[in-house]
Amino acid sequence: MNLPAPRPRVICVGGSATIDQIFLVDEVKLPSAKLTARQFVETGGGMGANAAVAVQRLGGQAVYWGRVGEDEPGEQVIALLRHEGVDVAGLRALRGFRTKIATVLIDARGERLVVSVQPQGYPPDASWLPLDQVRGAQAVLADTRWPAGAQALFDAAADAGVPSVFDGDAGEPAQVRATALLATHPVLSEPMLAALALGAPEDALPRLFGGRNVGCGVTLGARGALWFDGRTLHAVAAPEVEVVDTLAAGDTWHGAFALALARREPLPQALRYANAAAALKCTRFGGRAGIPSQAELSDFLARV
């Protein structure tokens, strides 16, 4: 009897898993206005947490390590991840801390305005992470929101010979650059790469490359992604779609990319896969709610 192939295991470390309250409006009017939303959804959020959901929906086995507050929103975060099938045994609820909540307005162009209540500064200690489990993973991923957690994960991945993806979307530039050197596959957002003041993307990536990097990249939204492999720059276009909501698109990109690496897909194919996953997510309202399934993405790839 042929048994199904095991799902590739991807460990995701996130600095802040959230509850997102998302409103779809025609226009964000500032500085003062009353707006009527055409749609509303409340769902989970957070860079690493959304990436874990993307891994799970796209056919991997996602493990999420991180922190929430010991409060009702924290319980909701855990329940939503568990409902997706994500392994949350390494997610800690911290007494005396508040889980982050965000209110997000999505306008008719798919762009967003985010107002968030921060988690009051979770302690940086990462010594409790079950890093011995990294040897059983096929890839790992971390975001910018918990540098100590990302460093611990990437060090363990290096010892185990496991590919490591860094989602460099935001943060303090010097810290982001230092953390990027610890990962095999760091991929920054275009605004974050610009904040490093290394020049245009085609100049910045060779200057960013170093440390443990197999390569380094930048996501360019509708223009796809640019990748530097230590010698050559490679541009990978994104499918053209009608954008409804860009919230969680970058998180989806990184989760899909990490899963493709876990499957040992060639790099050009992994980049195309991540571009397609993020593009398909952008056609759907609701942040995390719009992350596609494996079947949906396979169908989309067959058509683009």
PDB file of all heavy atoms in Angstrom, residues 271-290:
ATOM      1  N   LEU A 271      10.499  30.792  -5.932  1.00  0.00           N
ATOM      2  CA  LEU A 271      10.156  32.205  -6.048  1.00  0.00           C
ATOM      3  C   LEU A 271       8.850  32.385  -6.819  1.00  0.00           C
ATOM      4  O   LEU A 271       7.998  33.196  -6.444  1.00  0.00           O
ATOM      5  CB  LEU A 271      11.290  32.958  -6.736  1.00  0.00           C
ATOM      6  CG  LEU A 271      12.587  33.079  -5.923  1.00  0.00           C
ATOM      7  CD1 LEU A 271      13.730  33.541  -6.811  1.00  0.00           C
ATOM      8  CD2 LEU A 271      12.409  34.039  -4.749  1.00  0.00           C
ATOM      9  N   ARG A 272       8.680  31.635  -7.891  1.00  0.00           N
ATOM     10  CA  ARG A 272       7.436  31.716  -8.662  1.00  0.00           C
ATOM     11  C   ARG A 272       6.253  31.267  -7.803  1.00  0.00           C
ATOM     12  O   ARG A 272       5.177  31.878  -7.846  1.00  0.00           O
ATOM     13  CB  ARG A 272       7.539  30.848  -9.915  1.00  0.00           C
ATOM     14  CG  ARG A 272       6.286  30.839 -10.777  1.00  0.00           C
ATOM     15  CD  ARG A 272       6.509  30.083 -12.084  1.00  0.00           C
ATOM     16  NE  ARG A 272       5.286  30.051 -12.883  1.00  0.00           N
ATOM     17  CZ  ARG A 272       4.426  29.036 -12.911  1.00  0.00           C
ATOM     18  NH1 ARG A 272       4.665  27.958 -12.165  1.00  0.00           N
ATOM     19  NH2 ARG A 272       3.336  29.087 -13.663  1.00  0.00           N
ATOM     20  N   TYR A 273       6.447  30.225  -7.026  1.00  0.00           N
ATOM     21  CA  TYR A 273       5.395  29.706  -6.148  1.00  0.00           C
ATOM     22  C   TYR A 273       4.989  30.759  -5.120  1.00  0.00           C
ATOM     23  O   TYR A 273       3.797  31.004  -4.891  1.00  0.00           O
ATOM     24  CB  TYR A 273       5.912  28.446  -5.460  1.00  0.00           C
ATOM     25  CG  TYR A 273       4.912  27.692  -4.623  1.00  0.00           C
ATOM     26  CD1 TYR A 273       3.940  26.898  -5.212  1.00  0.00           C
ATOM     27  CD2 TYR A 273       4.971  27.736  -3.233  1.00  0.00           C
ATOM     28  CE1 TYR A 273       3.031  26.180  -4.446  1.00  0.00           C
ATOM     29  CE2 TYR A 273       4.075  27.019  -2.455  1.00  0.00           C
ATOM     30  CZ  TYR A 273       3.103  26.247  -3.061  1.00  0.00           C
ATOM     31  OH  TYR A 273       2.209  25.533  -2.304  1.00  0.00           O
ATOM     32  N   ALA A 274       5.969  31.406  -4.497  1.00  0.00           N
ATOM     33  CA  ALA A 274       5.686  32.433  -3.493  1.00  0.00           C
ATOM     34  C   ALA A 274       4.992  33.634  -4.118  1.00  0.00           C
ATOM     35  O   ALA A 274       4.044  34.190  -3.543  1.00  0.00           O
ATOM     36  CB  ALA A 274       6.980  32.858  -2.806  1.00  0.00           C
ATOM     37  N   ASN A 275       5.453  34.062  -5.297  1.00  0.00           N
ATOM     38  CA  ASN A 275       4.804  35.177  -5.989  1.00  0.00           C
ATOM     39  C   ASN A 275       3.339  34.873  -6.271  1.00  0.00           C
ATOM     40  O   ASN A 275       2.461  35.728  -6.090  1.00  0.00           O
ATOM     41  CB  ASN A 275       5.520  35.466  -7.313  1.00  0.00           C
ATOM     42  CG  ASN A 275       6.794  36.258  -7.147  1.00  0.00           C
ATOM     43  OD1 ASN A 275       7.098  36.778  -6.068  1.00  0.00           O
ATOM     44  ND2 ASN A 275       7.568  36.358  -8.212  1.00  0.00           N
ATOM     45  N   ALA A 276       3.064  33.658  -6.730  1.00  0.00           N
ATOM     46  CA  ALA A 276       1.695  33.283  -7.069  1.00  0.00           C
ATOM     47  C   ALA A 276       0.819  33.213  -5.815  1.00  0.00           C
ATOM     48  O   ALA A 276      -0.345  33.653  -5.836  1.00  0.00           O
ATOM     49  CB  ALA A 276       1.686  31.941  -7.797  1.00  0.00           C
ATOM     50  N   ALA A 277       1.346  32.663  -4.731  1.00  0.00           N
ATOM     51  CA  ALA A 277       0.572  32.573  -3.486  1.00  0.00           C
ATOM     52  C   ALA A 277       0.188  33.961  -2.986  1.00  0.00           C
ATOM     53  O   ALA A 277      -0.960  34.199  -2.579  1.00  0.00           O
ATOM     54  CB  ALA A 277       1.374  31.825  -2.426  1.00  0.00           C
ATOM     55  N   ALA A 278       1.146  34.902  -3.012  1.00  0.00           N
ATOM     56  CA  ALA A 278       0.870  36.259  -2.546  1.00  0.00           C
ATOM     57  C   ALA A 278      -0.106  36.974  -3.473  1.00  0.00           C
ATOM     58  O   ALA A 278      -1.003  37.696  -3.026  1.00  0.00           O
ATOM     59  CB  ALA A 278       2.171  37.046  -2.444  1.00  0.00           C
ATOM     60  N   ALA A 279       0.056  36.777  -4.784  1.00  0.00           N
ATOM     61  CA  ALA A 279      -0.846  37.414  -5.736  1.00  0.00           C
ATOM     62  C   ALA A 279      -2.281  36.929  -5.548  1.00  0.00           C
ATOM     63  O   ALA A 279      -3.235  37.717  -5.550  1.00  0.00           O
ATOM     64  CB  ALA A 279      -0.372  37.147  -7.169  1.00  0.00           C
ATOM     65  N   LEU A 280      -2.448  35.615  -5.385  1.00  0.00           N
ATOM     66  CA  LEU A 280      -3.787  35.064  -5.192  1.00  0.00           C
ATOM     67  C   LEU A 280      -4.397  35.573  -3.901  1.00  0.00           C
ATOM     68  O   LEU A 280      -5.591  35.896  -3.849  1.00  0.00           O
ATOM     69  CB  LEU A 280      -3.725  33.539  -5.206  1.00  0.00           C
ATOM     70  CG  LEU A 280      -5.065  32.793  -5.099  1.00  0.00           C
ATOM     71  CD1 LEU A 280      -6.056  33.272  -6.153  1.00  0.00           C
ATOM     72  CD2 LEU A 280      -4.844  31.296  -5.202  1.00  0.00           C
ATOM     73  N   LYS A 281      -3.601  35.672  -2.837  1.00  0.00           N
ATOM     74  CA  LYS A 281      -4.104  36.230  -1.595  1.00  0.00           C
ATOM     75  C   LYS A 281      -4.630  37.654  -1.789  1.00  0.00           C
ATOM     76  O   LYS A 281      -5.654  38.044  -1.223  1.00  0.00           O
ATOM     77  CB  LYS A 281      -2.999  36.216  -0.524  1.00  0.00           C
ATOM     78  CG  LYS A 281      -3.485  36.632   0.876  1.00  0.00           C
ATOM     79  CD  LYS A 281      -3.322  38.111   1.078  1.00  0.00           C
ATOM     80  CE  LYS A 281      -4.345  38.753   1.903  1.00  0.00           C
ATOM     81  NZ  LYS A 281      -5.659  39.015   1.515  1.00  0.00           N
ATOM     82  N   CYS A 282      -3.936  38.445  -2.628  1.00  0.00           N
ATOM     83  CA  CYS A 282      -4.322  39.848  -2.841  1.00  0.00           C
ATOM     84  C   CYS A 282      -5.675  39.990  -3.515  1.00  0.00           C
ATOM     85  O   CYS A 282      -6.274  41.069  -3.479  1.00  0.00           O
ATOM     86  CB  CYS A 282      -3.262  40.570  -3.663  1.00  0.00           C
ATOM     87  SG  CYS A 282      -1.748  40.953  -2.758  1.00  0.00           S
ATOM     88  N   THR A 283      -6.188  38.938  -4.138  1.00  0.00           N
ATOM     89  CA  THR A 283      -7.492  39.005  -4.787  1.00  0.00           C
ATOM     90  C   THR A 283      -8.634  38.807  -3.808  1.00  0.00           C
ATOM     91  O   THR A 283      -9.803  38.854  -4.210  1.00  0.00           O
ATOM     92  CB  THR A 283      -7.612  37.945  -5.899  1.00  0.00           C
ATOM     93  OG1 THR A 283      -7.608  36.625  -5.312  1.00  0.00           O
ATOM     94  CG2 THR A 283      -6.467  38.067  -6.895  1.00  0.00           C
ATOM     95  N   ARG A 284      -8.317  38.596  -2.538  1.00  0.00           N
ATOM     96  CA  ARG A 284      -9.334  38.239  -1.550  1.00  0.00           C
ATOM     97  C   ARG A 284      -9.273  39.170  -0.352  1.00  0.00           C
ATOM     98  O   ARG A 284      -8.199  39.463   0.172  1.00  0.00           O
ATOM     99  CB  ARG A 284      -9.112  36.799  -1.074  1.00  0.00           C
ATOM    100  CG  ARG A 284      -9.165  35.800  -2.209  1.00  0.00           C
ATOM    101  CD  ARG A 284      -8.661  34.460  -1.758  1.00  0.00           C
ATOM    102  NE  ARG A 284      -8.889  33.442  -2.762  1.00  0.00           N
ATOM    103  CZ  ARG A 284      -8.678  32.155  -2.579  1.00  0.00           C
ATOM    104  NH1 ARG A 284      -8.225  31.734  -1.412  1.00  0.00           N
ATOM    105  NH2 ARG A 284      -8.904  31.298  -3.541  1.00  0.00           N
ATOM    106  N   PHE A 285     -10.417  39.577   0.113  1.00  0.00           N
ATOM    107  CA  PHE A 285     -10.518  40.431   1.295  1.00  0.00           C
ATOM    108  C   PHE A 285     -10.352  39.606   2.572  1.00  0.00           C
ATOM    109  O   PHE A 285     -10.734  38.446   2.633  1.00  0.00           O
ATOM    110  CB  PHE A 285     -11.892  41.118   1.314  1.00  0.00           C
ATOM    111  CG  PHE A 285     -12.213  41.798   2.609  1.00  0.00           C
ATOM    112  CD1 PHE A 285     -11.529  42.942   2.994  1.00  0.00           C
ATOM    113  CD2 PHE A 285     -13.183  41.291   3.459  1.00  0.00           C
ATOM    114  CE1 PHE A 285     -11.810  43.572   4.195  1.00  0.00           C
ATOM    115  CE2 PHE A 285     -13.477  41.911   4.660  1.00  0.00           C
ATOM    116  CZ  PHE A 285     -12.790  43.060   5.030  1.00  0.00           C
ATOM    117  N   GLY A 286      -9.758  40.239   3.588  1.00  0.00           N
ATOM    118  CA  GLY A 286      -9.785  39.632   4.915  1.00  0.00           C
ATOM    119  C   GLY A 286      -8.456  39.250   5.496  1.00  0.00           C
ATOM    120  O   GLY A 286      -8.405  38.448   6.432  1.00  0.00           O
ATOM    121  N   GLY A 287      -7.322  39.819   4.995  1.00  0.00           N
ATOM    122  CA  GLY A 287      -6.037  39.486   5.598  1.00  0.00           C
ATOM    123  C   GLY A 287      -5.791  37.992   5.558  1.00  0.00           C
ATOM    124  O   GLY A 287      -5.830  37.362   4.490  1.00  0.00           O
ATOM    125  N   ARG A 288      -5.565  37.391   6.732  1.00  0.00           N
ATOM    126  CA  ARG A 288      -5.312  35.951   6.809  1.00  0.00           C
ATOM    127  C   ARG A 288      -6.421  35.129   6.178  1.00  0.00           C
ATOM    128  O   ARG A 288      -6.159  34.078   5.581  1.00  0.00           O
ATOM    129  CB  ARG A 288      -5.134  35.532   8.270  1.00  0.00           C
ATOM    130  CG  ARG A 288      -4.910  34.032   8.439  1.00  0.00           C
ATOM    131  CD  ARG A 288      -4.973  33.598   9.881  1.00  0.00           C
ATOM    132  NE  ARG A 288      -3.819  34.085  10.637  1.00  0.00           N
ATOM    133  CZ  ARG A 288      -3.655  33.882  11.942  1.00  0.00           C
ATOM    134  NH1 ARG A 288      -4.566  33.211  12.623  1.00  0.00           N
ATOM    135  NH2 ARG A 288      -2.600  34.357  12.572  1.00  0.00           N
ATOM    136  N   ALA A 289      -7.656  35.593   6.277  1.00  0.00           N
ATOM    137  CA  ALA A 289      -8.779  34.829   5.737  1.00  0.00           C
ATOM    138  C   ALA A 289      -8.634  34.579   4.248  1.00  0.00           C
ATOM    139  O   ALA A 289      -9.200  33.619   3.709  1.00  0.00           O
ATOM    140  CB  ALA A 289     -10.097  35.563   6.018  1.00  0.00           C
ATOM    141  N   GLY A 290      -7.853  35.403   3.544  1.00  0.00           N
ATOM    142  CA  GLY A 290      -7.688  35.260   2.114  1.00  0.00           C
ATOM    143  C   GLY A 290      -6.523  34.404   1.683  1.00  0.00           C
ATOM    144  O   GLY A 290      -6.285  34.247   0.472  1.00  0.00           O
TER     145      GLY A 290
END
